[in-house]
Amino acid sequence: MVTEIESKVMAAKKASIILSSIRTGEKDKALEAIARALDNNRSSILQANEKDLENAEQLKREGKLSQALVDRLKVNDKKIDSMISGIRDVMTLDDPSGKTISSIELSEGLNLCKVTCPIGLIGVVFESRPDVVPQIMSLCLKSGNAVIFKGGSEALYSNKALFDVMIEALRNTGTIPYDAFHLMETREEVMDILRMDQYIDLLIPRGSNDFVRFIQDNTRIPVLGHADGICHVYVDEAADLDKAYNVCFDSKVQYPAVCNAMETMLVDHTVASRFLPEMAQRYMEAGVELRCDDESFSILENIKGLKLKRASEDDWKSEYNDLILSVKLTNSMAEAIDHINSYGSHHTDAIVTEDEQKKAEFISLVDSSSTIINASTRFADGYRYGKGAEVGISTNKIHARGPVGMEGLVIYKYVLIGNGDTVADFENTGKKKYTHRKLDISLENMLNLKTDKKVM
């Protein structure tokens, strides 16, 4: 007997095939319809969010929800503006599907193309942050992927309000198969989704470390994402200290409750006595607690009013998502890099230095999805990287890495075009020979199709 959730997933899988063939212009029209619908339905979205916020405050008082999750839950006019802007940014981006990556002549009249195509059906499981719904729906729609959403119960009303507004907009277009998008609402549906590897092609979890690890440990579906955001900034002996103050402050303080905020600051011992007192003063004014190794503690212990503790081994492995920072002195850049690769989460790590050779070495030797020179770790974000929005940040080394935009929502297929060719002609009779000559031609041109015609 097919369950209700299985019925929805099967319908989305079927609709994903239709969606993959929709032309770019029609998808952009649908995105504009969604943007207008969000603008026109602000009051109902904000009212729904108020219900979630009231429930979240009660859960926070009971110790069942952190302040960071409550903060991420809030929707206001500014956030709706951001949702609308993000959707319209996606409209301006190239459609990543149906592009010819390469083409080759295998033999005269026998041509092979490698062409991008949508992954298929994406499962998005997330906590809090209702803005995930329009972000990912816009990216998946533009790239031709169907989506099953499962949000946390703490954002139940907000997610449903946003989803209903967007689906109604899609219905009114008359061209987009709106069955390609479904929102699941009960807790039990999470485990059901994790078991549906025969239908769902990729899972994208968005939430806390424990939440993402749970998803990774309980499914056979490929998972795109990261569990931890343990990011570092290394202040080198050749650093411009004015740059270092700004980079280190922004990396920790600008928004501490996110995965690309700095959690450990590494400082070369030769500049520590000049750099740390001023940096600590700035952190003190922002309410940051410092957890220091013995050497940095001895430099800072006489500063009055500073929140100061000695670091433990666990601090080097901790993602605080709060105004807490671990601090360690190093004897060399090699030692700093070893610490980052040993304790970091391969997410985002930065160096502040004016030494050109060290910049190159840091980029080469730090094994992270984003390495940054003389800038804040907070830049590691899909919107800031020019992707319009992001489906998530991946520390995987397969398929997609770093802030993942639409390019991470397509894969490729091979298309071979012949004229009655057989392998026997090459291997048995020897009538034909392989040329393996590179071609500079797209699949559309090979098929004599108009450029706006979808072929994938």
Side-chain angles (χ1 to χ4, degrees), residues 155-388:
L156 177 66
Y157 295 107
S158 305
N159 291 339
K160 189 171 189 317
L162 287 165
F163 185 80
D164 288 349
V165 165
M166 292 188 291
I167 286 296
E168 186 61 25
L170 291 183
R171 280 198 183 100
N172 292 334
T173 66
T175 57
I176 303 297
Y178 55 84
D179 227 8
F181 306 98
H182 285 279
L183 176 69
M184 307 301 179
E185 298 179 49
T186 67
R187 184 181 297 274
E188 292 74 20
E189 288 168 329
V190 173
M191 293 309 299
D192 288 334
I193 288 171
L194 299 187
R195 287 191 288 264
M196 292 188 178
D197 54 292
Q198 72 271 41
Y199 303 118
I200 298 173
D201 299 295
L202 180 70
L203 277 176
I204 302 174
R206 299 278 294 266
S208 66
N209 305 351
D210 291 342
F211 176 77
V212 175
R213 284 201 188 94
F214 176 83
I215 300 298
Q216 292 170 331
D217 292 343
N218 286 278
T219 188
R220 292 185 297 183
I221 303 169
V223 177
L224 186 152
H226 68 281
D228 296 304
I230 303 173
C231 303
H232 302 76
V233 175
Y234 167 56
V235 180
D236 180 51
E237 63 179 338
D240 178 323
L241 295 190
D242 287 333
K243 291 180 185 178
Y245 294 136
N246 292 332
V247 167
C248 291
F249 188 84
D250 190 82
S251 294
K252 178 74 264 184
V253 176
Q254 196 272 333
Y255 191 5
V258 286
C259 61
N260 58 12
M262 171 177 61
E263 303 295 13
T264 298
M265 183 173 68
L266 303 171
V267 182
D268 189 275
H269 73 286
T270 59
V271 297
S273 60
R274 288 184 289 132
F275 172 74
L276 279 178
E278 172 64 21
M279 191 73 251
Q281 192 71 36
R282 297 188 188 196
Y283 280 142
M284 182 171 65
E285 292 169 4
V288 178
E289 175 188 302
L290 301 180
R291 299 185 180 179
C292 299
D293 69 346
D294 290 341
E295 290 80 5
S296 58
F297 189 93
S298 66
I299 293 172
L300 300 175
E301 61 182 332
N302 294 322
I303 298 178
K304 292 183 179 179
L306 186 63
K307 296 179 182 178
L308 192 65
K309 291 184 178 179
R310 291 188 184 274
S312 67
E313 179 68 14
D314 286 341
D315 283 306
W316 313 130
K317 299 177 283 188
S318 294
E319 182 180 11
Y320 303 114
N321 290 135
D322 202 350
L323 289 172
I324 302 171
L325 178 68
S326 54
V327 182
K328 180 179 176 63
L329 302 195
T330 65
N331 292 314
S332 65
M333 186 178 77
E335 184 181 327
I337 290 172
D338 182 64
H339 181 97
I340 291 169
N341 289 337
S342 298
Y343 291 98
S345 58
H346 311 290
H347 188 299
T348 301
D349 298 288
I351 184 172
V352 183
T353 187
E354 299 301 303
D355 187 307
E356 299 300 324
Q357 183 61 36
K358 287 185 175 180
K359 292 176 185 178
E361 288 182 13
F362 188 86
I363 293 168
S364 176
L365 296 173
V366 170
D367 184 24
S368 297
S369 64
S370 284
T371 50
I372 295 178
I373 297 169
N374 293 337
S376 171
T377 60
R378 289 281 291 117
F379 280 106
D381 169 84
Y383 173 74
R384 298 185 184 102
Y385 276 12
K387 298 173 181 290

Side-chain angles (χ1 to χ4, degrees), residues 435-451:
T435 58
H436 292 148
R437 182 170 64 91
K438 288 184 179 180
L439 301 174
D440 185 17
I441 185 171
S442 68
L443 178 60
E444 289 91 344
N445 288 334
M446 275 189 203
L447 297 175
N448 295 315
L449 295 174
K450 294 179 181 179
T451 57

